[in-house]
Amino acid sequence: MEASSESFNQRVSRCLLWEKVKEGHVHLITVEDIEELFHAFEVYDPDLIATSELVRLCGVDGTHLSAEEIAEWIKDSDKDGTGEASIEDVHRGITEGSAAFALVKRALFGEEKEHKITECSIHELLHWMHYEYDKKSKLWSLPETLFLFTAFVISVVLHLNVWEAFKSSRVYNVALTYGDFALEWAVDRDSLWSWLLEGWLRNVLRHDMISFARDPDPDKDPLYTNPFPGRILKEHQIVGAVRFRRWYAVGAECTASKMWKDLYPACNMHGELKPDDWYVFYHEKREVIEERMQERARNFWLD
């Protein structure tokens, strides 16, 4: 029996199948390779092998398969559970089943490290100790964490909105007085629109590359050659657009007595104030913005 077992091991180990298994080239395994394996098992006719016989591969050296992979191979070869497999079944099991996936993954990524649950090597222990030391040295203590969280909450509650932050910077005062037409010179509605068109749009926004390139003569308008796309006075970034807001009140019925109404027929009372917004998008051409400003001036957007 011992001589027969050795003869079987020698026949199986000489099969060309195992070199392809070793390299993970499962796509190169042919039906002829499986026929050679069947002949090593001395199975010739009717080309069916008992799956219990394939278990004997676990005792053969040089298959480059673990016991678990051989078990998966047998399972994939006997999908019907009849206990027998043909050459085609065994070929499909090694080229398309779970064992094939394991072989390809091992060829690509190498052997997986076996993680032990109850023990580790000295090298692994030292690596873990260094990792824990480095990790804990970078962590904040609890008082520092609470202090930062409290500071964050206070900053959220007391933070400035966009308008207040803009007014707190020096750019706000510069924007009101910069250029050849300052806001302080605006004394009525018409002069305010003049400041928006001649002062704010040309000297503060300065965004339209096409308009500025249109008239490069510095003697006529030196500011035309110095646009700042997407910014206010080249310092403050615009997010989308600049908003203009006016507040208006809806008229309400006068609450005076009939006598006073008779004396003052035009008696009226303002209702709740409501906002009306108008946006100037920085990607629009200067001519478009000028036309919209002039249209709002003609329609008494500011009364």
Side-chain angles (χ1 to χ4, degrees), residues 202-214:
R202 189 180 68 173
N203 301 326
V204 179
L205 190 60
R206 292 195 274 173
H207 71 297
D208 192 346
M209 300 289 290
I210 299 177
S211 295
F212 282 95
R214 181 187 58 193

Side-chain angles (χ1 to χ4, degrees), residues 181 183-196 302-303:
F181 196 104
L183 180 61
E184 60 185 16
W185 300 344
V187 294
D188 55 13
R189 181 182 59 201
D190 293 336
S191 59
L192 177 60
W193 282 112
S194 298
W195 174 78
L196 288 174
L302 295 176
D303 54 16

Side-chain angles (χ1 to χ4, degrees), residues 99-147:
F101 175 76
L103 292 175
V104 173
K105 184 173 70 172
R106 185 170 62 194
L108 293 175
F109 305 106
E111 295 285 348
E112 293 186 0
K113 181 180 178 181
E114 181 180 356
H115 296 278
K116 300 178 181 180
I117 300 177
T118 59
E119 60 183 18
C120 64
S121 64
I122 295 178
H123 176 73
E124 292 173 336
L125 178 61
L126 291 176
H127 178 74
W128 177 81
M129 292 177 66
H130 283 296
Y131 170 75
E132 286 292 308
Y133 176 80
D134 293 337
K135 182 178 69 174
K136 290 183 178 180
S137 65
K138 297 176 182 178
L139 293 178
W140 288 85
S141 64
L142 182 59
E144 292 171 328
T145 303
L146 293 177
F147 171 77

Side-chain angles (χ1 to χ4, degrees), residues 256-267:
S257 64
K258 185 177 184 305
M259 179 187 69
W260 291 110
K261 288 182 179 180
D262 294 338
L263 292 175
Y264 300 98
C267 174

Side-chain angles (χ1 to χ4, degrees), residues 68-274:
E68 291 79 7
E69 291 169 343
I70 292 176
E72 290 292 336
W73 182 10
I74 296 173
K75 180 180 177 182
D76 293 331
S77 300
D78 185 18
K79 292 290 187 180
D80 299 332
T82 60
E84 292 181 331
S86 64
I87 293 178
E88 290 76 12
D89 294 334
V90 177
H91 178 260
R92 183 172 56 253
I94 192 63
T95 56
E96 300 178 9
S98 301
F101 175 76
L103 292 175
V104 173
K105 184 173 70 172
R106 185 170 62 194
L108 293 175
F109 305 106
E111 295 285 348
E112 293 186 0
K113 181 180 178 181
E114 181 180 356
H115 296 278
K116 300 178 181 180
I117 300 177
T118 59
E119 60 183 18
C120 64
S121 64
I122 295 178
H123 176 73
E124 292 173 336
L125 178 61
L126 291 176
H127 178 74
W128 177 81
M129 292 177 66
H130 283 296
Y131 170 75
E132 286 292 308
Y133 176 80
D134 293 337
K135 182 178 69 174
K136 290 183 178 180
S137 65
K138 297 176 182 178
L139 293 178
W140 288 85
S141 64
L142 182 59
E144 292 171 328
T145 303
L146 293 177
F147 171 77
L148 287 178
F149 179 74
T150 304
F152 170 74
V153 172
I154 294 175
S155 64
V156 170
V157 174
L158 300 180
H159 80 286
L160 296 175
N161 57 34
V162 176
W163 171 237
E164 295 296 333
F166 183 69
K167 289 196 300 182
S168 65
S169 68
R170 70 179 184 87
V171 179
Y172 175 70
N173 293 327
V174 173
L176 302 182
T177 58
Y178 184 78
D180 51 2
F181 196 104
L183 180 61
E184 60 185 16
W185 300 344
V187 294
D188 55 13
R189 181 182 59 201
D190 293 336
S191 59
L192 177 60
W193 282 112
S194 298
W195 174 78
L196 288 174
L197 287 168
E198 302 297 332
W200 181 85
L201 181 59
R202 189 180 68 173
N203 301 326
V204 179
L205 190 60
R206 292 195 274 173
H207 71 297
D208 192 346
M209 300 289 290
I210 299 177
S211 295
F212 282 95
R214 181 187 58 193
D215 191 358
D217 186 1
D219 296 331
K220 183 176 182 181
D221 191 348
L223 295 175
Y224 265 63
T225 61
N226 194 15
F228 303 126
R231 292 183 178 271
I232 291 290
L233 281 177
K234 81 177 181 180
E235 293 190 14
H236 281 244
Q237 185 70 42
I238 302 176
V239 181
V242 177
R243 183 186 69 183
F244 290 88
R245 168 170 288 185
R246 68 163 183 164
W247 293 90
Y248 67 96
V250 180
E253 184 179 357
C254 183
T255 57
S257 64
K258 185 177 184 305
M259 179 187 69
W260 291 110
K261 288 182 179 180
D262 294 338
L263 292 175
Y264 300 98
C267 174
N268 62 80
M269 182 180 65
H270 293 299
E272 179 185 0
L273 290 176
K274 294 184 178 181

